[in-house]
């Protein structure tokens, strides 16, 4: 029997994968630390919360290896610069970002009748509808909002050619120019030729600009306004979005053409956002940030937040599905989840040093500290126990 053939390059490829994997994990940890520092020390907490809202709305997941080192840059490059701009600009920046193109497989989508597909008849090529579907279902119009499967397919055809240079398995990976690696790339020979009809409107053949025109219309569609208004109202005014508030935000969105500061002003002016009793149960990320701000934390090591968010059940940029993390109490208020916060609070309190929780409590909750919580703090057996109790008191778990 002939000896098995030995691949002389196998060891080198394995070593290269390990090096790349380690670097990606390091990049991910550094990006999480940067996000945490911005949340802890930033001078505009409301804007910071909006960044996190939009990052979850346009969710990607680092569970996909190619996305691990790109999820952080997507938040910093595509969301933060546009959080006080227009929804259309943010939408455009996100959908063209390599993290999104790789996560939802747009980078491998090929027009069935494109010159590239014709040349590669012996190679498996095909249209991928993932990004087109999620843009319509999750990012803009919302479910059951009037579009059809045919609209998804046509939009996917319009988007063919949108890919990433030098990364992944798509046709853009053949571009071996280090200066362009990891950047958006349009390949005309991968684009499906011809006009496209999406939701009754004809979009003439225009290469890269064809899908861009579809995106521009989706960004200001009335169904998009309803979808965004509903999610913002749910995030800021309770798990059941108040209909009057949703209508108010939708009107602001449509009248301004998707100008986000206009929508935010309508949000802040809504009485439903200013009820006395806190309505929203904090997600693990919100709770972690609020506890660290309460403790005056201003520095964080790259791996600390990663480990803590894994423990609390909400790993950063890792929702596991394109819809992102749930924004309702049922997702985060289970007994096991609460116990994880209690354990974390005990560790925070043990490391915090001499902090007087009784004095801190009315500073954190000047008009909402309950007699029950105040009494519990007064009866604590030690300063550390009092602080741990404060960090998991009802006032600290809700906002």
């Amino acid at each position: 029997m002939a000896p098995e053939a030995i691949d002389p390059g196998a060891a080198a490829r394995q070593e290269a994968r390990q090096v790349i994997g380690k670097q990606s994990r390091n990049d991910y940890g550094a990006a999480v630390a940067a996000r945490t520092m911005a949340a802890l020390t930033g001078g505009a907490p409301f804007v910071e919360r909006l960044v996190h809202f939009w990052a979850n709305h346009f969710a990607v997941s680092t569970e996909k290896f190619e996305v691990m080192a790109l999820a952080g840059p997507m938040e910093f490059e595509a969301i933060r610069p546009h959080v006080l701009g227009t929804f259309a600009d943010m939408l455009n920046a996100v959908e063209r970002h390599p993290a999104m193109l790789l996560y939802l497989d747009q980078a491998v989508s090929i027009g069935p009748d494109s010159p590239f597909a014709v040349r590669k008849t012996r190679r498996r090529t095909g249209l991928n509808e993932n990004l087109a579907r999620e843009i319509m279902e999750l990012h803009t119009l919302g479910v059951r909002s009037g579009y059809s499967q045919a609209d998804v397919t046509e939009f996917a055809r319009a988007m063919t050619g949108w890919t990433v240079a030098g990364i992944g398995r798509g046709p853009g990976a053949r571009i071996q120019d280090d200066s362009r690696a990891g950047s958006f790339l349009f390949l005309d020979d991968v684009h499906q030729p011809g006009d496209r009809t999406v939701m009754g409107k004809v979009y003439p053949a225009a290469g890269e600009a064809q899908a861009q025109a579809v995106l521009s219309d989706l960004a200001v569609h009335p169904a998009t306004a309803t979808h965004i208004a509903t999610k913002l109202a749910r995030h800021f005014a309770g798990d059941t979005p108040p209909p009057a508030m949703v209508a108010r935000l939708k009107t602001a969105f449509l009248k301004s053409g998707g100008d986000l500061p206009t929508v935010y002003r309508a949000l802040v002016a809504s009485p439903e956002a200013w009820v006395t009793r806190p309505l929203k149960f904090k997600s693990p990320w919100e709770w972690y940030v609020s506890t660290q701000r309460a403790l005056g934390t201003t520095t964080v090591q790259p791996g600390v937040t990663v480990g803590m968010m894994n423990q609390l059940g909400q790993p950063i940029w890792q929702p596991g599905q394109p819809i992102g993390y749930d924004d309702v109490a049922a997702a985060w208020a289970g007994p096991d989840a609460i116990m994880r916060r209690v354990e974390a609070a005990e560790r925070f309190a043990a490391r915090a040093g001499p902090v007087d929780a009784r004095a801190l409590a009315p500073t954190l909750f000047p008009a909402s500290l309950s007699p029950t919580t105040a009494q519990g703090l007064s009866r604590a057996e030690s300063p550390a126990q009092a602080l741990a109790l404060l960090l998991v008191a009802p006032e600290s778990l809700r906002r």
Side-chain angles (χ1 to χ4, degrees):
M1 181 180 293
E4 292 184 5
I6 298 176
D7 181 356
R13 288 195 295 273
Q14 177 64 20
E15 183 179 357
R17 282 193 291 269
Q18 291 175 348
V19 170
I20 293 172
K22 181 179 180 180
Q23 184 60 54
S24 294
R25 288 189 293 273
N26 289 341
D27 291 344
Y28 168 73
V32 170
R35 179 195 227 230
T36 307
M37 287 302 299
L40 295 181
T41 63
F46 177 64
V47 175
E48 196 65 24
R49 179 178 295 282
L50 289 167
V51 169
H52 305 155
F53 169 85
W54 289 115
N56 192 58
H57 177 77
F58 293 111
V60 297
S61 180
T62 59
E63 290 177 311
K64 196 164 193 174
F65 177 75
E66 298 96 322
V67 180
M68 182 176 292
L70 295 170
M74 191 186 90
E75 181 175 301
F76 281 87
E77 296 167 358
I79 293 175
R80 288 180 182 273
H82 302 290
V83 72
L84 297 178
T86 67
F87 178 73
D89 286 344
M90 184 187 295
L91 178 69
N92 179 59
V94 167
E95 308 306 353
R96 293 166 65 94
H97 197 277
M100 187 64 74
L101 295 172
L102 290 167
Y103 175 53
L104 290 176
D105 302 313
Q106 179 60 38
V108 300
S109 185
I110 296 168
D113 303 311
S114 66
F116 182 90
V118 172
R119 292 197 308 270
K120 302 292 184 180
T121 53
R122 295 183 181 179
R123 176 180 169 184
R124 184 179 179 183
T125 59
L127 185 70
N128 191 294
E129 300 181 353
N130 288 354
L131 181 57
R133 178 175 294 104
E134 304 305 1
I135 287 175
M136 301 181 89
E137 179 178 321
L138 302 178
H139 300 171
T140 59
L141 305 172
V143 296
R144 296 183 293 278
S145 54
Y147 68 89
S148 66
Q149 174 56 42
D151 294 321
V152 172
T153 300
E154 282 286 89
F155 186 22
R157 288 170 177 160
M159 293 188 76
T160 51
W162 288 35
T163 188
V164 181
I167 297 179
R169 298 172 289 106
R174 61 185 172 166
I175 307 299
Q176 297 300 316
D177 180 352
D178 289 344
S179 65
R180 301 176 67 187
S183 62
F184 172 85
L185 178 68
F186 178 74
L187 295 176
D188 190 63
D189 68 336
V190 176
H191 181 66
Q192 176 73 6
D195 299 345
R196 306 266 74 85
T197 301
V198 180
M199 300 184 72
K201 180 175 179 178
V202 177
Y203 293 87
E208 177 184 348
Q210 187 177 54
Q212 189 66 58
V214 180
L215 268 185
S216 296
D217 286 344
L218 292 177
V220 294
H221 194 282
T224 298
T226 300
H227 184 51
I228 298 303
T230 301
K231 291 191 70 172
L232 280 168
R234 179 182 296 117
H235 187 74
F236 285 96
D239 292 354
T240 302
M245 184 178 183
V246 172
R248 208 174 295 120
L249 299 184
K250 176 182 177 179
T251 298
F253 188 103
L254 290 174
K255 285 187 174 181
S256 67
D259 178 68
L260 294 178
T262 299
V263 178
Y264 303 151
R265 281 191 286 271
L267 189 158
V268 172
S270 295
E272 298 89 344
W274 296 98
V275 294
T276 303
R277 179 172 171 267
L279 293 176
K280 289 295 291 187
F281 191 85
K282 294 178 182 177
S283 70
W285 167 252
E286 293 169 341
W287 179 78
Y288 173 68
V289 170
S290 64
T291 60
Q292 298 310 298
R293 287 182 69 100
L295 295 172
T297 302
T298 56
T299 60
V300 63
Q301 297 301 315
V304 171
T305 303
V306 172
M308 179 52 59
M309 296 313 301
N310 287 343
Q311 176 191 331
L312 294 175
Q314 193 184 16
I316 305 300
W317 306 309
Q318 198 178 113
Q321 52 186 348
I323 198 172
Y325 285 112
D326 287 336
D327 195 19
V328 294
W332 308 116
D336 180 64
I338 297 297
M339 183 55 63
R340 293 182 189 183
R341 297 193 193 192
V342 170
E343 293 169 349
E346 290 174 343
R347 292 201 299 275
F348 296 157
R351 296 196 298 261
V355 177
D356 186 350
R358 300 182 185 95
L360 179 61
T363 301
L364 296 178
F365 311 107
S368 58
L369 184 67
S370 71
T372 301
T373 296
Q375 185 180 65
L377 297 179
S378 68
R379 293 179 176 177
E381 296 179 357
S382 68
Q385 185 185 70
L387 182 56
L389 287 172
L390 176 61
L391 297 180
V392 289
E395 293 89 339
S396 295
L397 294 177
R398 291 185 176 273
R399 58 172 173 82

